[in-house]
Each structure stands twice: as C-alpha cells, then as structure tokens.
C-alpha cells in the first residue's frame, strides 16, 4: 500500500505523490491499493507507465463517470465502476480485495502507536536495521498475546 508512505511528504496531497513513491520501489509492483484520494488521472497514468500489469485497487469517487472508451477498451477504473454498478460498493470491495486495506491500516496504526511515526536513523543502512528490529519487536509482541486454540471435545 502506498497510502501510508505519504507521511514522508507532509505538504503534498496523497494522489500527487504516486510518482515519487514509485521511484523508491525497486522491482515489479503487482498491485497498488489506496483510498479515494488516488482516484486521479495522473495517479493512474504514473502506475500504467511504470507498472502496466499492476492491479490498481482504488475506489472511484462517488461522482465518477466511465471513460470515453469504456465500451470498447475499458480501463481498470472503468471495470471498477461497472462492478460497483452491478454489485454495489461493498460487493466491489469483496471482489477487488479492497478489504485487505483495513488490515494493513490496523498494522500501520499498531506500528505508529508502539514504534512511533518516523524513523530516527539518518542513513539508509541504519534505517533498514531500525525497521527490521522494530518489525521483530512487534512480531514478538504479537506472539506473546496470540491465543492458542485447542479442541477439547
């Protein structure tokens, strides 16, 4: 998910930061999930230019209309709009996998509450070590509190 990485760019709106955030990713991108702030032509264009095979899972805005070419060459956004028209927003969320976003939001919220909202280290190598250590700490904490179910009957 790109969305929560935009905290690095405090004075910019989320949708305008798709390009700079994609610059930070090495390798292929399979999918991008974000909220309605990413429902912008320039965000879709950046993703299509850099990762044409990536699935874009962004809810269209309530007043969104299909593109001119929706009937002959529908875009991912056009397909989302069609799915919403046929199944409703909740049906689209289930079909697209958008519900996973809530789980990621919970994980990021947990990270920020326990670890903090930013990195303290200044160099890339030290930041990578800091992130790895923090992830290990959170995973250990989760293991301590995770229930173990045993069937007794």
């Amino acid at each position: 998910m790109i969305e929560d990485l935009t905290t690095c760019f405090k004075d910019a709106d989320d949708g305008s930061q798709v390009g700079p955030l994609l610059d930070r990713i090495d390798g292929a991108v399979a999918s991008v999930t974000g909220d309605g702030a990413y429902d912008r032509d320039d965000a879709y264009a950046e993703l299509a230019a850099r990762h044409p095979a990536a699935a874009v899972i962004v809810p269209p805005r309530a007043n969104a209309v299909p593109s001119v070419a929706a009937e002959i060459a529908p875009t991912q956004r056009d397909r989302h709009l069609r799915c919403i028209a046929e199944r409703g927003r909740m049906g689209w969320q289930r079909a697209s996998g958008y519900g996973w976003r809530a789980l990621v939001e919970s994980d990021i919220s947990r990270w920020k509450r326990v670890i903090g909202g930013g990195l303290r280290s200044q160099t890339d190598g030290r930041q990578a070590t800091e992130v790895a250590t923090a992830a290990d700490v959170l995973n250990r904490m989760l293991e301590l509190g995770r229930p173990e179910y045993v069937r007794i009957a």
Side-chain angles (χ1 to χ4, degrees):
M1 257 186 47
I2 288 181
E3 178 180 348
D4 290 297
L5 298 175
T6 56
T7 57
C8 300
F9 307 101
K10 295 191 185 316
D11 295 331
D13 64 284
D14 292 354
S16 70
Q17 295 306 304
V18 171
L21 289 168
L22 288 173
D23 288 341
R24 302 171 78 180
I25 298 172
D26 294 327
V29 172
S31 69
V32 173
T33 302
D35 63 19
Y38 294 95
D39 184 34
R40 299 168 42 139
D41 290 338
D42 58 342
Y44 279 96
E46 285 280 353
L47 286 160
R50 298 169 191 231
H51 303 282
V56 181
I57 306 169
V58 172
R61 296 174 192 260
N63 61 353
V65 295
S67 68
V68 176
E71 293 299 320
I72 54 173
T75 63
Q76 288 188 62
R77 185 173 185 269
D78 291 330
R79 290 191 294 274
H80 291 313
L81 286 168
R82 185 179 311 134
C83 184
I84 290 169
E86 293 170 359
R87 300 180 185 187
R89 279 213 179 252
M90 293 306 294
W92 170 79
Q93 287 184 13
R94 283 187 296 277
S96 67
Y98 187 72
W100 282 101
R101 180 178 170 272
L103 296 174
V104 173
E105 290 283 343
S106 295
D107 288 341
I108 291 172
S109 174
R110 184 179 308 111
W111 178 286
K112 287 180 177 179
R113 282 191 316 251
V114 175
I115 305 300
L119 298 175
R120 290 156 187 83
S121 302
Q122 300 298 315
T123 64
D124 289 343
R126 289 181 178 164
Q127 286 180 349
T129 301
E130 183 180 342
V131 168
T133 304
D136 186 51
V137 166
L138 283 176
N139 287 332
R140 286 181 188 209
M141 289 172 67
L142 286 172
E143 286 297 321
L144 291 171
R146 189 171 290 141
E148 188 173 318
Y149 296 98
V150 178
R151 184 175 180 176
I152 57 172

